[in-house]
Amino acid sequence: MLWACIVLPQLALDAVSRRLADPEAPLVLLSGSPQHRVIQALNPAARALGLRRGQSLAAAHALTRAFASVEQDPAEIERWQQFLAAWAYRFSSQVSLRYPRALLLEIHSSLALFGPWPRFEARLRDELAALGFRHRLVVAPNPAAARALANVHDGLAVLSAEALREALERMPVDRLGLEPQVATAFARMGLRVLGQVLALPRATLARRFPAHLLQHLDTLLGERPLALECYVPPDEFAGRLELNFEVESHQALLFPLRRLTADLAAFLAGRDSGVQRFTLHLEHRGGGETQVPVGLLGAERDPALLFELARGRLERQQVPAPVQAMRLLARDLPAFVPEHRQLFDERPQQSLPWEQLRERLRARLGDDAVHGLSARADHRPEAAWRAESAPKASPLPPATPRPGWLLPEPVALREASLRVLAGPERIESGWWDGADVRRDYYLVETRGGQRGWAFRPVGVDGPLLLHGWFA
């Protein structure tokens, strides 16, 4: 087996930076009591101002006030680690959150699907960068060794047990995940790397140190299995972004909306599912909120499409008060079935598939503005069809040609040179619902060559009544 370990050294900071319009601006995370606020994490821009980790907020303000500060939230860190586990689940069915701020995923069985490791690694890094998370990535034959090696290396791929032992023997003792007092004892004994520790008699180590030390070393070397609890993705998606200031315009809400829909798409890809309905919750001051439902006729998970649909719904919504936060909740997550397409797509480059165009029109114009047509078993032309939001494919009943454009109300034809091409075709129907009709229909042609479908009620003299035009 091969295990990849993705370490997220700045998970808390990245979780805050990714919701900012300018993630490169100076930013610090604070912790501690209200009387003594301390910088817990900071980005490179804040470090360039002279700030440092562990510095008090008062001392930082004495240097400069050109930085933003956010309270560090442990619950937020846990939520984003769960989200990244859902993202990683698309690449492997064995994903573990055993270590804080790190992901473990078994990749040996995934190489046949995602290609050799260099290509697979590039894809993982590209997607993590697009999501806005800095990381280190290491591969090793067992998960404990991968986690330990990631403390020192980035991009290292150890593919055999022999190479693993060589790499571990060069590891500093204080970066192996040992208890602090054990690492300190080794340092006082002059043992700096794991190779020096492994050269000692095993009985001596067992006598002088706790039993779990040898267990940990055996686990690193792959001689003792590590029991892992694998991640299981939840059945719903809930994402929330708190805004840095109150927003009153739709335009300013598009950035957090794009982030939320991209996170939803990554979550859906991990579950191999789509979304058919989700709701945007706009949180206002005082606890009020505005809900913006987004419904699709079919399951989708393309991030650009989800963003466009949510944007169309949002722009049609009147926001009654400034928005402080935005949540996205999706519970209807059916299985995703990719659209069947031809090997050589003949559509023009800029055109959209009909399904995407339909969803965008519904988002822009409303659910009732776009609908499909389905046939009904009725001879009356005005009753032979009905509008449906998602019509099922059904064959039309066999009949003589019918016009593609049916007029809302029949109009009299006054043209003197009208030519009758076919007819009459008598239609008698509707006696059971009180809308009885008895008509003789004719295929006619005007002087300009346009063909129409006209009728005259049975037993009534007068002009023909035009009911529809043929294309």
Side-chain angles (χ1 to χ4, degrees), residues 72-381:
Q72 180 170 292
D73 185 1
E76 189 79 356
I77 298 174
E78 174 64 21
R79 188 176 72 83
W80 283 112
Q81 191 163 350
Q82 291 283 332
F83 165 76
L84 288 171
W87 162 80
Y89 193 76
R90 70 179 298 190
F91 300 107
S92 173
S93 61
Q94 299 184 61
V95 178
S96 176
L97 296 172
R98 177 182 178 87
Y99 301 105
R101 297 176 177 81
L103 297 174
L104 293 171
L105 56 155
E106 199 283 316
I107 63 166
H108 186 268
S109 55
S110 303
L111 294 177
L113 178 61
F114 297 103
W117 172 241
R119 186 192 307 168
F120 192 4
E121 178 188 13
R123 178 169 179 176
L124 292 174
R125 291 186 183 276
D126 289 344
E127 294 197 13
L128 282 168
L131 290 172
F133 292 97
R134 286 166 287 185
H135 57 277
R136 295 196 303 271
L137 182 55
V138 166
V139 169
N142 70 77
R147 178 62 188 92
L149 291 169
N151 287 329
V152 177
H153 301 281
D154 182 20
L156 178 66
V158 181
L159 307 180
S160 66
E162 295 77 11
L164 174 62
R165 188 178 185 92
E166 293 179 5
L168 288 175
E169 287 180 349
R170 296 191 296 269
M171 283 284 294
V173 171
D174 58 350
R175 307 304 298 274
L176 291 172
L178 302 175
E179 293 184 353
Q181 58 270 27
V182 174
T184 301
F186 282 145
R188 290 173 178 173
M189 296 168 60
L191 305 176
R192 305 296 180 187
V193 295
L194 180 59
Q196 296 172 323
V197 176
L198 295 178
L200 297 176
R202 188 177 179 89
T204 302
L205 291 175
R207 187 171 59 253
R208 299 190 59 178
F209 294 95
H212 56 75
L213 168 63
L214 291 178
Q215 296 174 1
H216 183 67
L217 296 181
D218 291 342
T219 303
L220 289 176
L221 295 171
E223 298 172 358
R224 179 186 177 91
L226 178 65
L228 294 177
E229 181 180 354
C230 288
Y231 167 83
V232 178
D235 293 329
E236 65 178 39
F237 173 84
R240 183 177 183 272
L241 283 180
E242 187 171 345
L243 309 178
N244 291 336
F245 50 89
E246 294 185 341
V247 173
E248 300 184 12
S249 68
H250 292 99
Q251 191 67 27
L253 292 174
L254 296 184
F255 177 78
L257 177 62
R258 188 183 296 276
R259 274 295 188 192
L260 286 173
T261 51
D263 292 347
L264 173 60
F267 174 82
L268 295 173
R271 294 181 80 256
D272 196 22
S273 61
V275 64
Q276 198 156 354
R277 274 177 289 277
F278 61 91
T279 305
L280 297 174
H281 298 259
L282 308 180
E283 300 179 8
H284 309 297
R285 189 187 340 175
E289 72 172 24
T290 300
Q291 296 188 11
V292 183
V294 181
L296 296 84
L297 296 179
E300 296 287 350
R301 70 182 184 200
D302 179 68
L305 177 60
L306 295 178
F307 170 73
E308 287 297 329
L309 298 182
R311 175 182 181 177
R313 303 282 181 170
L314 181 62
E315 290 178 343
R316 298 177 62 243
Q317 181 74 38
Q318 293 292 332
V319 181
V323 180
Q324 293 183 322
M326 178 185 292
R327 288 188 297 124
L328 191 155
L329 182 61
R331 291 193 173 97
D332 189 4
L333 308 177
F336 177 72
V337 179
E339 179 189 357
H340 294 286
R341 295 187 179 179
Q342 299 295 328
L343 177 60
F344 301 102
D345 196 346
E346 298 180 355
R347 292 182 298 108
Q349 186 175 5
Q350 301 299 324
S351 68
L352 286 175
W354 156 242
E355 291 77 9
Q356 294 187 17
L357 177 61
R358 175 193 62 191
E359 296 292 359
R360 289 191 178 186
L361 290 175
R362 291 178 69 247
R364 291 283 184 180
L365 305 177
D367 293 337
D368 298 332
V370 181
H371 54 76
L373 300 178
S374 62
R376 294 180 60 189
D378 198 312
H379 292 287
R380 292 169 293 179

